[in-house]
């Protein structure tokens, strides 16, 4: 590693104090033209570059925004990242994506890292994080936007409005005379429980059916959990004829397991996902799902973040409308 | 924004010198137990946290490694990110993923950002970057690993060995009496051209066929380019009966277009992808592909990077064996 040229080296070469070099760089105090010229030519000669670590000590900000997500391999988040980057590019901001593997200690560590690196902002989809954890950011004055199904502490929020879409999904499923409705939901210890489960349960009653406890499987938001959850449901005496999933990754795992078990989707069991991740229209049968539009979520998050960066401090919530997408699986 | 607690504040509260606080934090010199206890309780009381910006001024390094990729929505890269994170977690390193949208100016901007933020290291899959651009990193002494099909300047390289797998793919396709072989390749101005095209072309001759210029379509590594490329090929007078794609994202775009056009895969046209991205086994028909194992690539990149972080400076190349995966599409 080449030795780093320091401000002190520049000062020595120019025959001035380090403070003078600093004034030339920051422009915070006037410097005599001849002195400035000497400093600038020393900077050129030595190949000195401003160390951002030093700069961020002064200005308090990098040009990075962290998007912190529970699963970078879920295309929903990849799409969110791409939109966020598009929306913030004009500000000279780079979005870096961090994967927490849905672990609270990782979520906390990344918030701490965002503070220590003086990131310009954070957009986070918490999974096991607690609302009080977010104070790490707010205490440090780092603009934060949360994308979650439930309110999450004193920060800006982008959240789905999925009531109508979930009702439409139930309408379609019950119109096909299915009554034994199951759900492969998120884990019990996820932040805010599983609002998608609560919503489905509440609406199921309106359709003269229910979501009995024995037909709710809890697990991670993974393909493996979807496969295991589906197999588990198929072993139930009261076997479901429609399975809702907390997201599309789970649904795709369930679909693979159905194929393995020789269970026809949708003939034997209807399958409904959530999100409309990019693969939803690629799988066979194409996945019926509740679309949570990543573009709208990304745009809303970018707008809220820009507001914070501009110094606006009103705590806001943006509701993004989900949309029922009827395809072949239900 | 809350006033930042400094090491000097901690020192004052504990009745010790700042140097002592520093020794407690760094463990670089022994500190008497009672003194250590006093410092630690002052740290707790004041809510002091180590300022990474300050720390990186001293050590010259953050604890972030950037994974810079052309398309974060390509599950191959998401999987690579997950493996890299697993492999580097033990070092207290966080991997942040940056998407360049395959644009050279973005690639260059992110390298510059990695230097300014004093990242601990960079793993990059260049798309339009030139080998000389990588000097931004090497000049700044930032450990860099390139994952690419071709050598790329004076940095450690992870690169595929896909000759056997490509030969097997050609064997399968020609055994099914297909001779009119086409390819939807990458863009002309991609770094290093398209080595996957060159490899296929070279091997095709050995199978008594060729890859005529009119059956090579150049485009981005996107679903849209795959769809357009496939439509274009189907309009050719000399219509292909087998289409190879530069990656699975392109292949999936081609597959969607085939369905739209009423062209049966593999009945009318065999389709072969590259990478074995997570969706390859989910699409219908399941995609036959040349598997470039993201786990092995991620592990190799992590190993090379760890070597650099330990100060080893031998320039190394790791070849990762690709594997032919025969599924339904060819």
């Amino acid at each position: 590693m080449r030795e780093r040229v320091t401000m002190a080296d520049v000062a020595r070469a120019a025959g001035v104090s380090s403070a003078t070099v600093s004034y030339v760089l920051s422009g915070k105090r006037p410097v005599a033209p001849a002195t400035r010229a000497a400093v600038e030519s020393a900077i050129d000669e030595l190949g000195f570059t401003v160390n951002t670590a030093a700069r961020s000590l002064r200005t308090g900000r990098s040009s990075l925004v962290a998007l912190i997500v529970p699963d970078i391999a879920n295309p929903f988040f990849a799409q969110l990242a791409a939109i966020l980057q598009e929306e913030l590019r004009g500000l000279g901001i780079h979005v870096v994506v961090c994967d927490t593997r849905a672990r609270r200690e990782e979520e906390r560590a990344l918030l701490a890292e965002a503070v220590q690196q003086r990131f310009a902002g954070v957009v986070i989809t918490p999974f096991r994080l607690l609302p009080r954890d977010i104070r790490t950011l707010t205490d440090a004055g780092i603009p934060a936007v949360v994308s979650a199904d439930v309110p999450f502490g004193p920060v800006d929020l982008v959240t789905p409005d999925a009531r109508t879409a979930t009702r439409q999904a139930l309408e379609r499923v019950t119109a096909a005379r299915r009554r034994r409705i199951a759900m492969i939901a998120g884990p019990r210890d996820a932040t805010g429980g599983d609002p998608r489960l609560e919503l489905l349960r509440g609406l199921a009653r309106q359709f003269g059916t229910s979501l009995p406890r024995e037909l709710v499987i809890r697990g991670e938001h993974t393909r493996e959990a979807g496969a295991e959850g589906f197999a588990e449901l198929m072993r139930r005496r009261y076997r479901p004829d429609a399975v809702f999933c907390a997201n599309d990754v789970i649904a795709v795992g369930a679909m693979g397991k159905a194929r393995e078990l020789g269970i026809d989707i949708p003939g034997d069991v209807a399958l409904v996902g959530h999100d409309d991740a990019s693969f939803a229209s690629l799988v066979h049968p194409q996945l019926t799902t509740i679309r949570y539009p990543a573009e709208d979520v990304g745009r809303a998050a970018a707008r809220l973040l820009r507001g914070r960066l501009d110094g606006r401090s009103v705590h806001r919530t943006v509701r993004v409308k989900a949309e029922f997408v009827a395809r072949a699986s239900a």
Side-chain angles (χ1 to χ4, degrees), chain A:
Chain A
M1 183 175 149
R2 179 190 287 187
E3 203 59 58
R4 182 157 200 106
V5 177
T6 65
M7 228 186 268
D9 297 331
V10 174
R12 235 183 329 270
V16 302
S17 70
S18 286
T20 303
V21 176
S22 163
Y23 298 149
V24 169
L25 290 169
S26 68
K28 279 192 184 159
R29 295 215 197 159
V31 176
T35 311
R36 171 177 295 273
V39 170
E40 283 173 350
S41 84
I43 285 173
D44 283 348
E45 263 163 42
L46 297 173
F48 174 79
T49 54
V50 175
N51 183 336
T52 303
R55 193 182 57 192
S56 71
L57 267 181
R58 292 196 308 275
T59 68
R61 281 297 144 71
S62 85
S63 64
L64 300 181
V65 161
L67 173 65
I68 303 178
V69 300
D71 178 15
I72 209 173
N74 179 346
F76 175 82
F77 293 118
Q79 221 189 323
L80 181 59
I83 303 289
L84 199 62
Q85 178 63 83
E86 281 309 318
E87 293 286 316
L88 297 176
R89 178 162 288 130
L91 302 178
I93 280 175
H94 293 284
V95 173
V96 300
V97 187
C98 314
D99 189 346
T100 65
R101 311 308 299 156
R103 296 179 195 141
R104 180 163 176 244
E105 68 269 35
E106 287 296 317
E107 295 177 304
R108 286 163 50 99
L110 285 164
L111 293 187
E113 201 65 36
V115 170
Q116 294 189 343
Q117 296 272 338
R118 306 298 302 149
F119 276 13
V122 169
V123 177
I124 182 169
T125 295
F127 198 85
R128 287 190 162 88
L129 202 69
L130 302 180
R132 69 165 182 269
D133 295 326
I134 210 85
R135 292 213 189 119
T136 308
L137 294 181
T138 48
D139 283 359
I142 300 207
V145 175
V146 165
S147 167
D149 284 20
V150 287
F152 197 85
V155 285
D156 292 341
L157 178 74
V158 183
T159 194
D161 174 1
R163 177 165 287 271
T164 305
T166 305
R167 181 179 287 126
Q168 288 168 336
L170 273 165
E171 253 164 33
R172 180 167 169 109
V173 161
T174 53
R177 305 194 164 281
R178 301 180 196 264
R179 288 292 178 280
R180 298 193 305 279
I181 294 176
M183 183 164 183
I184 309 179
R188 248 175 237 293
D189 64 342
T191 305
D194 192 331
R196 294 173 184 185
L197 170 61
E198 298 317 316
L199 181 58
L200 187 67
R201 185 174 264 149
L203 288 169
R205 287 197 202 99
Q206 302 180 11
F207 286 87
T209 177
S210 71
L211 202 62
R213 187 168 303 180
E214 62 269 30
L215 291 191
V216 175
I217 305 279
R218 315 296 303 237
E220 298 300 307
H221 281 192
T222 63
R223 274 168 76 171
E224 294 69 33
E228 285 163 26
F230 191 84
E232 180 88 16
L233 285 170
M234 293 303 112
R235 283 195 294 269
R236 293 279 193 271
R237 214 158 16 137
Y238 185 69
R239 193 164 147 169
D241 52 16
V243 176
F244 284 71
C245 300
N247 77 1
D248 289 346
V249 175
I250 293 173
V252 157
M255 193 178 270
K257 179 56 81 175
R259 189 174 300 135
E260 207 182 302
L261 297 174
I263 290 168
D264 186 59
I265 307 270
D268 300 322
V269 179
L271 193 66
V272 181
H274 203 294
D275 288 350
D276 199 20
S278 60
F279 53 72
S281 58
L282 294 175
V283 296
H284 183 79
Q286 293 195 4
L287 188 64
T288 292
T289 193
I290 291 166
R291 176 161 207 263
Y292 188 40
E295 315 82 65
D296 296 352
V297 176
R299 264 183 227 117
R303 205 168 61 239
L304 291 172
L305 202 61
R306 276 198 305 262
R308 291 279 160 183
L309 293 170
D310 291 348
R312 266 173 270 151
S313 66
V314 185
H315 171 197
R316 284 184 299 166
T317 294
V318 176
R319 300 184 77 80
V320 172
K321 197 102 184 153
E323 184 193 348
F324 179 57
V325 181
R327 296 200 184 96
S329 73

